[in-house]
Amino acid sequence: MKDKHFETQAIRAQLNRTDYNEHSVPLFLTSSFVFDEAEGMRAAFNEESDDFIYSRYVNPNTNEFIDKICLLEGAEAGFASASGMAAIFTTFMALLKSGDHVISCSSVFGATHAIFTKYFPKWNISHSYFTTGSVKEIESLIKPETKFIYLETPTNPAIELIDLELVASIAKKHQILLIVDNCFATPYLQQPIRFGADLVIHSATKYMDGQGRVLGGIVVGQKELVHAIYLFGRLTGPSMSPFNAWVLSKSLETLAVRMDRHCDNALYVAQKLEGHSRLENVSYPFLSSHPHHAIAKKQMKAGGGIITITVSGGYEAAKQFLDKLQMIKISPNLGDARSIATHPASSTHCKLSEAERLSVGITPGLIRVSVGLENREDILNDLLQALQ
Ligand SMILES: *Cc1c(COP(=O)(O)O)cnc(C)c1O
């Protein structure tokens, strides 16, 4: 499958058929597997074994999902988890020890920020943030005990971009790891391993599912690193459920066509809204007005499905705008076939202080729009009528 193109891999990489010769991969809802002999079971419990033992360790559906993402991201190995946060947390816990230090972009997913600030101190792990727009800052933050650089690009929700190749070169030079949360771009638009990342994490809940049905997460990358994460995960139990793996693996078959449409719709809506008298700003990576447009062009195939708009009039105006939306619903999710609007300051990023929010570009009037797959005119018209 390695020689095939993205779309083909996402559709054709699948489990071997069972004796029934089924066309579509069946769902293996089984918590454990049986052994013909006692010796086989003994051997399977070796940490290096990839035999089917117990679905907290491995399951055929989960394996298929992992294998697909490895192909699509150009990774050696992967570990799938119950949610994106489970992938992030399991990765942190497997790789870090007391005394370690990590560097992250300041604009990270709210729950990831909460792990850094609320729980890391309990375990004597420290963190430093670099300003998303200023990658040069990273070198001055590196200490002997720095284990990895962690980043998201495009960032959530400010839609800023970080130069992956540049950060990877800094990580290499200082022999520390680079971990990228690639959730907003998906492997269809951006493959961080190609630019030098060591591990790539996804919330599969978003574009991978694409229809707002299941939670899931995955981390892929270098074999030895992933093996350490897998061993910690199989022990502590954040594993992905076989049912969710089955749903997600089938969802991947349509990832490319969905992303093409998400990107087309988002670019169209962003272009039409840009300059609107009630808006202070419209941000989308493939708008030439975006301050990081050149980085977007370098590392992304297209701009993704998320745009942010800043309504004039702050929080009150943002609330009014959201309440006036008719078709587009207010929800914290993104990457769904249905367009969604979110007010980050009062929801996904409410755990940050006002000053922290402003420092990462989350103003009171900022609204994140996950542009869905509905007809682009219907999406635009709903936004326009709510702006009136
Ligand atoms: C949603 C999200 C997560 C967390 O994923 P869950 O599946 O909700 O646990 C992590 N990072 C980013 C960028 C996200 O958007």
Side-chain angles (χ1 to χ4, degrees):
M1 273 294 156
K2 281 217 169 87
D3 60 326
K4 296 285 195 291
H5 294 91
F6 187 97
E7 295 83 349
T8 312
Q9 291 173 336
I11 292 169
R12 289 288 173 177
Q14 66 175 63
L15 290 177
N16 294 329
R17 295 203 165 84
T18 71
D19 292 345
Y20 291 110
N21 244 348
E22 67 282 346
H23 195 196
S24 169
V25 170
L27 172 54
F28 292 92
L29 279 184
T30 178
S31 41
S32 74
F33 300 83
V34 295
F35 294 87
D36 292 336
E37 292 171 347
E39 173 52 25
M41 180 141 160
R42 189 204 60 79
F45 270 81
N46 181 316
E47 285 197 339
E48 302 305 320
S49 156
D50 48 16
D51 289 358
F52 293 110
I53 307 172
Y54 191 57
S55 285
R56 168 152 47 80
Y57 295 17
V58 276
N59 171 278
N61 294 116
T62 314
N63 276 2
E64 183 188 85
F65 175 65
I66 293 171
D67 289 348
K68 274 193 188 181
I69 300 295
C70 286
L71 273 171
L72 302 181
E73 286 283 6
E76 290 173 354
F79 172 73
S81 55
S83 67
M85 284 320 299
I88 292 169
F89 183 69
T90 308
T91 301
F92 288 173
M93 286 300 99
L95 301 184
L96 295 171
K97 61 178 188 320
S98 170
D100 281 346
H101 169 253
V102 306
I103 299 171
S104 166
C105 62
S106 54
S107 183
V108 277
F109 188 65
T112 311
H113 168 78
I115 293 180
F116 290 149
T117 52
K118 198 168 163 194
Y119 291 97
F120 269 16
K122 267 181 37 168
W123 305 315
N124 191 34
I125 299 166
S126 58
H127 76 283
S128 309
Y129 281 137
F130 68 93
T131 316
T132 304
S134 148
V135 165
K136 286 184 199 76
E137 226 181 287
I138 294 176
E139 287 209 276
S140 66
L141 299 171
I142 296 175
K143 307 177 190 185
E145 56 274 23
T146 305
K147 187 82 193 194
F148 58 72
I149 303 169
Y150 183 90
L151 63 84
E152 296 173 16
T153 180
T155 60
N156 176 21
I159 312 294
E160 293 177 304
L161 288 109
I162 300 173
D163 189 326
L164 288 169
E165 196 177 15
L166 183 57
V167 180
S169 72
I170 296 172
K172 288 257 147 37
K173 183 172 149 201
H174 294 271
Q175 296 186 316
I176 54 180
L177 302 172
L178 172 60
I179 305 177
V180 177
D181 179 337
N182 200 29
C183 172
F184 269 39
T186 81
Y188 182 61
L189 301 181
Q190 171 175 283
Q191 294 154 340
I193 291 172
R194 271 183 42 210
F195 296 98
D198 299 289
L199 289 170
V200 172
I201 295 182
H202 283 281
S203 167
T205 314
K206 313 293 167 55
Y207 287 106
M208 286 188 182
D209 174 28
Q211 293 171 66
R213 301 165 297 186
V214 297
L215 293 170
I218 187 161
V219 50
V220 298
Q222 280 174 23
K223 221 175 179 156
E224 310 87 78
L225 293 173
V226 170
H227 192 62
I229 297 163
Y230 160 74
L231 289 181
F232 183 78
R234 80 177 212 176
L235 192 72
T236 54
S239 332
M240 174 176 276
S241 89
F243 177 77
N244 287 11
W246 179 79
V247 170
L248 288 164
S249 188
K250 293 199 186 299
S251 302
L252 289 177
E253 296 181 10
T254 57
L255 180 66
V257 283
R258 285 188 284 111
M259 289 315 291
D260 279 340
R261 182 64 69 85
H262 277 297
C263 295
D264 287 351
N265 282 0
L267 180 61
Y268 178 78
V269 169
Q271 282 170 338
K272 292 287 178 188
L273 290 180
E274 203 174 24
H276 191 286
S277 60
R278 295 258 163 98
L279 292 176
E280 284 168 11
N281 188 42
V282 175
S283 182
Y284 183 70
F286 269 48
L287 281 181
S288 51
S289 61
H290 193 288
H292 307 143
H293 183 58
I295 303 175
K297 283 275 187 190
K298 175 178 152 192
Q299 63 196 31
M300 295 178 77
K301 184 186 168 93
I306 313 288
I307 67 173
T308 56
I309 56 178
T310 310
V311 296
S312 327
Y315 184 33
E316 277 314 308
K319 246 178 30 186
Q320 271 182 23
F321 168 79
L322 287 171
D323 291 340
K324 289 253 159 61
L325 288 171
Q326 290 173 354
M327 176 183 81
I328 300 172
K329 294 296 173 236
I330 311 168
S331 174
N333 197 24
L334 59 93
D336 195 297
R338 296 168 177 79
S339 296
I340 292 169
T342 310
H343 182 244
S346 67
S347 59
T348 53
H349 290 71
C350 66
K351 290 182 190 75
L352 279 69
S353 70
E354 171 97 41
E356 283 173 333
R357 276 199 294 272
L358 290 177
S359 76
V360 295
I362 305 172
T363 55
L366 184 87
I367 287 164
R368 182 182 77 196
V369 182
S370 171
V371 179
L373 305 179
E374 303 96 339
N375 184 286
R376 62 189 196 175
E377 301 299 342
D378 292 332
I379 302 169
L380 178 67
N381 288 338
D382 196 20
L383 295 168
L384 287 174
Q385 65 79 25
L387 281 173
Q388 286 314 313

